[in-house]
Amino acid sequence: MRIALPNKGRLHEPSVDLLERAGLHVVDGADRKLYAETVDPDVTVLFARAADIPEYVSDGAADVGITGLDQVEESATGDLIDLLDLEFGRCKLVLAAPEDGDIESVADLDGGTVATEFPNVTRDFFADWDVEVDIAEVSGATELTPHVDIADAIVDITSTGTTLRMNRLEIVADVLESSVRLFAREDVVDDEKVQQIETALASVLAADGKRYLMMNVPEEALDDVKDVLPGMGGPTVMDIAGKEDVAVHAVVDDSDVFETINSLKDVGASDVLVTEIERLVE
Ligand SMILES: Nc1ncnc2c1ncn2[C@@H]1O[C@H](COP(=O)(O)OP(=O)(O)OP(=O)(O)O)[C@@H](O)[C@H]1O
Ligand SMILES: O=P(O)(O)OC[C@H]1O[C@H](OP(=O)(O)OP(=O)(O)O)[C@H](O)[C@@H]1O
Ligand SMILES: [Mg+2]
């Protein structure tokens, strides 16, 4: 089973990091190496450009891939299944035009030129609007093109909006919301190994922002403690050998920990231990 990850750029590190946190450690993945083994002898990693990953998966060079939804849509491969939103690399593809120009709606671009690194997504977008445009395909610095008479507008990525602002461009319309996904070729989605990878990555996401609480509770305070703990499917209660107290374990949102501990102390819990959760397999 081969999994394709971005070899560089902003998606490289968080992708490798996620795999690591999922326990699928990359072995000997030295810098610039394009191929690496993992601790699972059945899983190898292939490093490729974020934009090429959908193609690699579609062609069978890899079975699953991690890259932006924008890249999957642009590749127009059509046979890829979006398995999991990995919740990073959030951005938007937008149609943007000069702030001081006269393009204020999609229709204003009729007969105009749009520069983009995403010609397929852009073509589909204007086809949906039934607006005729020429597409100028560029491979970077797209934001410059409306100011040098290459294009009237652009379709490009934005997240904080800084680059658009710096280049005196404003959003005319949203084209696509994107984030990084785990995706697979249709014929492998039911493979055991693919499902194991999906479960492992999902377990990292599920643990994000969660804490594990452990405490001692006098038997008579147990009902009050249970009321305090929101818990996922209720807390786990265990007898402690030779003691009147019981041990209570629960998963709590990080944002609730402060308040929850105060309430737990109020109702009689003691020796409260808070730990991080690496993975939570549901
Ligand atoms: N500003 C951003 N904020 C959030 N996500 C982004 C942003 N820019 C790009 N992305 C996401 O990261 C993906 C890859 O972008 P990145 O810039 O890392 O690679 P690239 O520009 O293709 O790299 P290179 O050209 O160096 O090979 C995009 O397709 C998109 O999904
Ligand atoms: O809304 P912002 O936060 O300003 O982000 C948007 C910018 O980020 C990306 O460029 P990147 O930094 O990846 O540089 P690149 O053009 O070299 O890919 C994208 O192409 C935009 O230019
Ligand atoms: Mg980029």
Side-chain angles (χ1 to χ4, degrees):
M1 226 280 311
R2 274 188 230 140
I3 177 164
L5 300 194
N7 64 333
K8 57 181 183 133
R10 68 178 70 228
L11 304 186
H12 171 73
E13 252 191 58
S15 304
V16 173
D17 187 52
L18 183 64
L19 227 56
E20 292 283 325
R21 286 159 67 205
L24 205 58
H25 306 289
V26 175
V27 179
D28 194 19
D31 235 14
R32 302 200 167 264
K33 212 176 157 191
L34 298 179
Y35 191 80
E37 306 291 333
T38 69
V39 287
D40 184 330
D42 295 331
V43 180
T44 52
V45 175
L46 206 100
F47 291 103
R49 287 198 56 213
D52 294 336
I53 288 178
E55 201 73 45
Y56 275 48
V57 175
S58 181
D59 290 351
D63 301 293
V64 297
I66 290 181
T67 194
L69 178 66
D70 54 342
Q71 301 294 357
V72 179
E73 295 287 316
E74 177 59 24
S75 72
T77 37
D79 56 347
L80 302 179
I81 308 291
D82 191 339
L83 293 178
L84 197 61
D85 187 342
L86 301 177
E87 297 171 12
F88 63 95
R90 278 195 194 286
C91 56
K92 254 186 345 182
L93 274 184
V94 296
L95 173 65
E99 282 167 4
D100 50 10
D102 40 21
I103 292 161
E104 268 151 23
S105 69
V106 180
D108 292 340
L109 276 158
D110 204 22
T113 303
V114 177
T116 187
E117 288 182 56
F118 297 86
N120 292 325
V121 172
T122 302
R123 201 169 292 119
D124 289 349
F125 173 78
F126 282 100
D128 283 349
W129 276 85
D130 209 11
V131 170
E132 293 250 349
V133 295
D134 279 332
I135 293 173
E137 189 174 347
V138 294
S139 57
T142 316
E143 290 92 348
L144 179 71
T145 57
H147 300 297
V148 290
D149 288 339
I150 289 178
D152 302 297
I154 63 170
V155 167
D156 200 13
I157 290 169
T158 183
S159 58
T160 62
T162 310
T163 312
L164 289 179
R165 247 188 328 273
M166 279 194 2
N167 290 286
R168 291 173 286 113
L169 298 169
E170 64 186 3
I171 296 175
V172 176
D174 289 349
V175 175
L176 175 76
E177 300 249 1
S178 181
S179 60
V180 172
R181 309 294 166 95
L182 171 72
F183 61 92
R185 212 175 38 255
E186 220 165 7
D187 61 299
V188 302
V189 284
D190 294 326
D191 285 8
E192 196 185 4
K193 201 45 83 179
V194 172
Q195 288 181 353
Q196 285 174 3
I197 289 176
E198 184 182 350
T199 303
L201 297 186
S203 74
V204 175
L205 302 177
D208 234 21
K210 298 270 197 286
R211 293 288 181 271
Y212 197 64
L213 300 193
M214 294 174 263
M215 70 211 76
N216 292 337
V217 176
E219 286 251 37
E220 66 274 14
L222 190 56
D223 284 340
D224 290 340
V225 164
K226 281 182 177 170
D227 284 344
V228 169
L229 290 168
M232 308 176 52
T236 307
V237 180
M238 287 157 284
D239 288 327
I240 307 173
K243 281 186 99 181
E244 297 277 291
D245 283 5
V246 290
V248 175
H249 293 195
V251 176
V252 174
D253 278 342
D254 187 29
S255 54
D256 293 334
V257 166
F258 180 77
E259 220 174 305
T260 303
I261 288 180
N262 292 337
S263 309
L264 287 169
K265 295 291 287 177
D266 286 347
V267 296
S270 64
D271 303 321
V272 184
L273 208 72
V274 185
T275 69
E276 297 203 352
I277 304 176
E278 275 186 34
R279 274 172 259 160
L280 209 155
V281 183
E282 281 162 347

